[in-house]
Amino acid sequence: MVIPLRDDNPTTRFPIVTVLLIAANLFVFAFVQPHGGTAEENAFDYQHAAIPCELVQSRPLTFTEIRTATCGTQAFGAVGDTKPFPHKNVYLAVLVSMFLHASWLHVLGNMLFLWVFGNNVEDRFGIFGYAVFYLFAGLVAAAAHTVANSGSTGPFLGASGAIAGVMGAYLVLWPRARVLTWIALLLFVILYLPAWLVLGLWFVFQFFTNPNTGVAWVAHVGGFIAGMAVAWVVSSVARPPRSRPLPPTGWQ
């Protein structure tokens, strides 16, 4: 496992969008989402989070689908089956899911990755471009997860897919940037590594994720590839911004 702590890659402006995204994610988890694995938490997730079966069927789940964890009540001949959340917008839920998380470890880990890599990508894309890019990467990640798990009736939560897009863009734009990295394998080691190695290892590790952990690794892969593609296009058609000139000697 590789965990980035910070990078040596200065920016020219304050990362306002990245900071707002981090604040929004922390606020929603701390003050909006129920916790503790309670029935209230489960109901909240089914009511607000994106679910592959709902996206494929273009409708909210029914009680039978939730109870049997099987997509498509027609197969069971469930006459008159009702929906617990009939007014749920299943497509808007994809956006909502990008601000929901399963635990403090989940949200804090995601926000660490977003802070380390997001400020530079925002600096390169600009405020508006970065905001659109972030949402686009999150949508691609959700689509990838849905295609790979079209029959799933389980909600999927987290900003991981969008953040994977940010990481993919960073890899294309600054592959040689130095990243202070915590390597937690047999020993705990902290050292500087090039971004291409840190992000490359992270990407490869996704394919070895234990399926029993519930990690939506296909969403990570989809978001990462989408981020790389967008960054490649941006770097091909637009020149990087000029570095801010250093102040004259003697300025404090």
Side-chain angles (χ1 to χ4, degrees):
M1 179 184 296
V2 290
I3 302 175
L5 302 177
R6 64 179 177 84
D7 64 343
D8 281 352
N9 193 3
T11 60
T12 61
R13 72 187 89 186
F14 183 77
I16 182 64
V17 176
T18 298
V19 170
L20 288 176
L21 286 171
I22 292 173
N25 277 278
L26 293 176
F27 177 84
V28 169
F29 186 79
F31 299 106
V32 178
Q33 287 186 252
H35 303 300
T38 61
E40 182 185 5
E41 180 181 3
N42 292 333
F44 181 93
D45 292 344
Y46 275 103
Q47 182 177 5
H48 298 287
I51 299 173
C53 178
E54 292 185 333
L55 294 171
V56 171
Q57 301 284 336
S58 297
R59 58 164 176 78
L61 292 177
T62 65
F63 280 106
T64 298
E65 287 172 313
I66 295 175
R67 183 174 63 253
T68 63
T70 304
C71 184
T73 55
Q74 291 82 359
F76 298 91
V79 179
D81 197 7
T82 58
K83 305 178 181 68
F85 308 108
H87 303 296
K88 177 181 179 180
N89 187 320
V90 299
Y91 301 110
L92 181 61
V94 174
L95 176 62
V96 175
S97 278
M98 293 168 61
F99 294 89
L100 304 178
H101 290 83
S103 66
W104 275 112
L105 181 62
H106 187 201
V107 67
L108 292 177
N110 275 349
M111 295 308 102
L112 173 62
F113 276 75
L114 180 58
W115 173 250
V116 172
F117 300 112
N119 59 343
N120 291 105
V121 178
E122 179 179 348
D123 197 39
R124 181 69 173 85
F125 287 179
I127 292 176
F128 178 76
Y130 176 69
V132 172
F133 164 74
Y134 183 89
L135 294 176
F136 170 75
L139 292 176
V140 172
H145 177 75
T146 299
V147 169
N149 302 274
S150 58
S152 172
T153 60
F156 60 92
L157 322 172
S160 305
I163 297 170
V166 173
M167 295 162 63
Y170 192 103
L171 174 61
V172 171
L173 297 171
W174 301 281
R176 295 181 178 83
R178 297 200 321 155
V179 180
L180 186 64
T181 307
W182 176 22
I183 303 177
L185 294 174
L186 298 177
L187 298 174
F188 294 104
V189 179
I190 297 176
L191 71 167
Y192 277 101
L193 295 174
W196 66 264
L197 180 58
V198 175
L199 296 173
L201 286 173
W202 179 89
F203 183 75
V204 170
F205 286 162
Q206 303 312 302
F207 294 93
F208 297 93
T209 301
N210 187 334
N212 296 324
T213 62
V215 176
W217 67 272
V218 176
H220 298 174
V221 171
F224 194 89
I225 294 174
M228 290 184 65
V230 171
W232 181 82
V233 171
V234 170
S235 62
S236 299
V237 302
R239 293 181 178 180
R242 294 182 178 180
S243 302
R244 178 179 296 173
L246 296 174
T249 303
W251 285 26
Q252 297 290 323

